[in-house]
Amino acid sequence: MKIGFIGLGTMGRHMASNLMKAGHELVVHDVRREAVGPHLQAGAVWAETPRAVAEATEVVFTSLPGPPEVEAVALGEQGLLAGLAAGKVYFDLTTNAPAVVRRIHQVLKAHGIHMLDAPVSGGPRGAELRKLALWVGGDEGVFNGYKPVLDAIGDQPYYVGPIGAGSIAKLVHNCAGYIIQTALAEVFTLGVKAGLDPLALWKALRQGAAGRRRTFDRLADQFLPGRFEPASFALRLAHKDITLATSLGREHKVPMRLANITLEEMTEALNRGWGERDSRVSMLLQEERAGVEIRVPEAAIHRLLGEEP
């Protein structure tokens, strides 16, 4: 299939590569021409505008920083709307605001164009290995028709419901994860300051009822070793996700106390100039408040993980 892909950044570059590995022809565009260099070398074709991408392909995917960029690419003067013919399909892989998704969907629908929101979960490593969940909202028939293409991007494409449903599922998922992150920072500083060795505490927690569900394993990636570069997922992007989630809560008059506390933590970390560091860097604020520094050598973490069958 001839596929358009716009936005070849942290996530998009891997998803586009996997589409090419699956045998699809790609027409690509990014605001940074240098971002698509490896794909052009692998046989992709460059297009100067989103409109040109849409005109040259059967289906278009976007993977962009957030709602403003999606709206500009979809509806701008040289955007997808100007190039997509009736009957063509557009999947937005961005973590987006449901209201923006629905607004763009309505505009495109009036021109006979199908739009589906399909945000992904799994991070850059998951994108590279094709270990991604795709939560899709929109026309179920279109989803079923293009599922083989989605299978080339991730191993778990899942139809959630009507347009906007995928974005809602993504915001709920990410918001829950960062609330848990905030809580883990709080209780872990408590345990260490009360006298426990952080490695021993981590091992103990992983053996408990919640720990057996591997709630605590993510602590090993950044928090325990105190290593927040390079970012697995940048703080500025996580802040955007939680901002969208709390905005959705206000829109539907849903109190979100923990989510707002988490957003405050991330905002403070962002104001420290940590936006490009890993999103878990905000957990350092709790260490600072508690007056305790938690550092476990990475070799010790690997040895502990290696003890498990």
Side-chain angles (χ1 to χ4, degrees), residues 39-50:
H39 303 82
L40 298 181
Q41 291 176 9
V45 175
W46 168 259
E48 288 292 338
T49 64

Side-chain angles (χ1 to χ4, degrees), residues 81-303:
L81 177 61
L84 287 170
K88 284 192 176 182
V89 177
Y90 164 41
F91 286 91
D92 179 34
L93 304 166
T94 310
T95 301
N96 207 338
V100 172
V101 167
R102 290 170 181 147
R103 182 164 64 249
I104 297 172
H105 171 264
Q106 282 300 111
V107 174
L108 297 181
K109 184 180 179 181
H111 291 79
I113 302 160
H114 301 286
M115 178 190 181
L116 297 91
D117 57 318
V120 302
S121 179
R125 184 63 173 160
E128 184 178 3
L129 298 176
R130 204 184 60 79
K131 298 292 185 184
L132 288 177
L134 290 88
W135 294 313
V136 184
D139 187 295
E140 189 171 9
V142 176
F143 165 79
N144 290 330
Y146 283 85
K147 189 173 179 298
V149 179
L150 300 178
D151 285 334
I153 294 174
D155 60 336
Q156 295 188 55
Y158 173 62
Y159 178 75
V160 184
I163 191 69
S167 296
I168 293 170
K170 177 64 186 291
L171 294 180
V172 170
H173 173 273
N174 280 24
C175 194
Y178 290 117
I179 291 172
I180 290 169
Q181 170 181 304
T182 303
L184 285 175
E186 183 172 303
V187 298
F188 218 80
T189 55
L190 168 67
V192 172
K193 195 166 188 182
L196 280 182
D197 172 77
L199 189 64
L201 174 59
W202 182 50
K203 182 174 181 178
L205 294 177
R206 293 177 75 243
Q207 293 173 333
R212 287 171 189 258
R213 292 192 293 270
R214 294 300 177 244
T215 306
F216 304 101
D217 276 20
R218 297 298 294 273
L219 290 172
D221 296 334
Q222 287 87 19
F223 182 58
L224 290 179
R227 177 176 52 80
F228 301 95
E229 295 92 7
S232 174
F233 191 70
L235 173 66
R236 62 180 175 79
L237 299 175
H239 185 273
K240 180 261 296 184
D241 289 359
I242 301 305
T243 300
L244 288 172
T246 53
S247 296
L248 187 64
R250 288 193 297 275
E251 181 183 334
H252 293 280
K253 297 181 172 58
V254 177
M256 299 186 71
R257 295 179 184 178
L258 289 176
N260 280 297
I261 290 170
T262 301
L263 180 59
E264 287 176 13
E265 288 287 274
M266 290 187 163
T267 301
E268 183 175 344
L270 207 61
N271 289 337
R272 298 283 186 100
W274 296 348
E276 296 304 323
R277 303 181 77 184
D278 190 81
S279 57
R280 294 171 186 82
V281 74
S282 60
M283 297 171 83
L284 291 179
L285 297 172
Q286 176 62 22
E287 286 190 14
E288 186 179 296
R289 286 189 292 264
V292 60
E293 183 178 83
I294 296 169
R295 295 294 178 272
V296 178
E298 292 188 59
I301 294 171
H302 293 314
R303 282 196 300 271

